[in-house]
Amino acid sequence: MELRRLTDRVFYTMFSKESDRPVLGYINGQTRSLMVDSGNSKFHAALFNEALRKEGLRKPEIVAITHWHWDHTFGMHAVEGITIAHEKTNDKLAEQAKWEWTDIEMKKRLAAGVEIEFADTCIRNEYPSLSEIQVVTSDISFSGTMEIDLGGITVELHHVTSPHSDDSVCIFVPQERVLFIGDAVGVDYYNDCHLDKDKLRSLLTAIEGFDFDMCVVGHAEPVSKLKTVAVMNSLLER
Ligand SMILES: [Zn+2]
């Protein structure tokens, strides 16, 4: 796994499709560093740490989560840093932490419509041994916004309205003019891939309000603010 440099102090690793691993972010402060999303397993989190080590960067002391979906959160138990998530994210994780991760129970949840096919398939690709799945809530939870000082650089967590999930958090790095949005610009896979345009409009207003150049998204290459806004406008017109 290759660590890519976006700005002087912001890095990311690429997504992969087979088991739906998302982009992971890294913000390098003088006294602390912050990882964006935990990866979808201990394997994914370990590869991220290995990529950091190769670049001579320390393991993140803080891990901030963009939303509850498994691919962004199932590595939380394996990271060494303190984890931070929105309270709605933790509500969903607490629910999933009670689930049994066996073939039979997963099939039952799929049949009942609690889980979706796409996630079920990708989870099975990531975990040859389902018993290795561990779901945990974060060490710290917040609502609204939260600001974190990493030493010479601050990171802001903003809960936003999003059509993808109710707990979506944007992670803004003002000094580097970078915004991490996870999957916020996307349909709701847990509601028949519905695109709620009112929520998308609200998200567009929020995103336009952040003063940034580059946007890091969950499952694609980083894009400019102009492109992000254009994509959102075309989705609204559809
Ligand atoms: Zn998602």
Side-chain angles (χ1 to χ4, degrees):
M1 182 178 279
E2 178 204 356
L3 192 73
R4 297 184 180 185
R5 182 174 224 139
L6 186 65
T7 68
D8 193 29
R9 292 173 287 184
V10 175
F11 302 79
Y12 66 98
T13 56
M14 277 310 278
F15 64 101
S16 70
K17 286 191 170 157
E18 191 197 333
S19 61
D20 202 30
R21 287 180 174 171
V23 166
L24 302 176
Y26 183 84
I27 300 132
N28 190 22
Q30 277 161 17
T31 50
R32 278 170 225 102
S33 62
L34 183 141
M35 179 180 184
V36 177
D37 284 333
S38 69
N40 67 356
S41 67
K42 67 177 179 186
F43 315 110
H44 191 194
L47 283 173
F48 184 78
N49 283 337
E50 178 58 19
L52 291 175
R53 196 190 57 76
K54 278 190 207 149
E55 292 298 319
L57 295 165
R58 64 183 182 279
K59 287 182 191 172
E61 286 85 358
I62 302 168
V63 182
I65 301 295
T66 59
H67 65 299
W68 67 273
H69 292 163
W70 81 277
D71 49 318
H72 300 257
T73 55
F74 280 17
M76 281 168 73
H77 71 95
V79 296
E80 287 173 26
I82 286 176
T83 54
I84 302 177
H86 191 268
E87 56 189 18
K88 287 188 179 181
T89 305
N90 279 326
D91 288 347
K92 295 295 283 187
L93 292 173
E95 200 180 299
Q96 288 181 301
K98 291 185 213 142
W99 291 357
E100 272 183 62
W101 295 94
T102 59
D103 177 53
I104 290 175
E105 291 303 317
M106 283 175 71
K107 278 179 181 152
K108 278 190 202 165
R109 288 197 291 272
L110 203 53
V114 175
E115 186 54 281
I116 55 169
E117 186 101 42
F118 178 55
D120 183 85
T121 303
C122 293
I123 288 171
R124 289 172 189 274
N125 287 344
E126 179 68 22
Y127 291 91
S129 172
L130 295 170
S131 61
E132 288 197 89
I133 296 173
Q134 281 185 55
V135 186
V136 297
T137 54
S138 68
D139 300 312
I140 295 172
S141 73
F142 75 101
S143 63
T145 63
M146 185 179 199
E147 191 173 302
I148 303 165
D149 183 355
L150 301 179
I153 187 164
T154 46
V155 170
E156 299 172 18
L157 312 185
H158 294 261
H159 178 226
V160 291
T161 300
S162 152
H164 185 69
S165 69
D166 285 341
D167 63 330
S168 290
V169 168
C170 283
I171 299 175
F172 182 41
V173 192
Q175 286 100 329
E176 301 294 280
R177 303 182 59 80
V178 173
L179 186 70
F180 289 84
I181 62 168
D183 304 342
V185 179
V187 299
D188 185 352
Y189 288 99
Y190 287 84
N191 182 21
D192 286 329
C193 292
H194 175 63
L195 179 67
D196 185 320
K197 290 193 176 176
D198 290 333
K199 288 181 180 175
L200 186 62
R201 216 165 278 122
S202 168
L203 179 63
L204 177 58
T205 305
I207 286 179
E208 282 182 314
F210 291 112
D211 193 15
F212 70 100
D213 299 321
M214 289 303 287
C215 190
V216 183
V217 298
H219 300 270
E221 298 271 358
V223 283
S224 67
K225 181 176 186 179
L226 270 177
K227 180 86 193 287
T228 307
V229 168
V231 166
M232 293 176 79
N233 274 318
S234 72
L235 285 171
L236 282 169
E237 282 158 22
R238 216 163 53 181

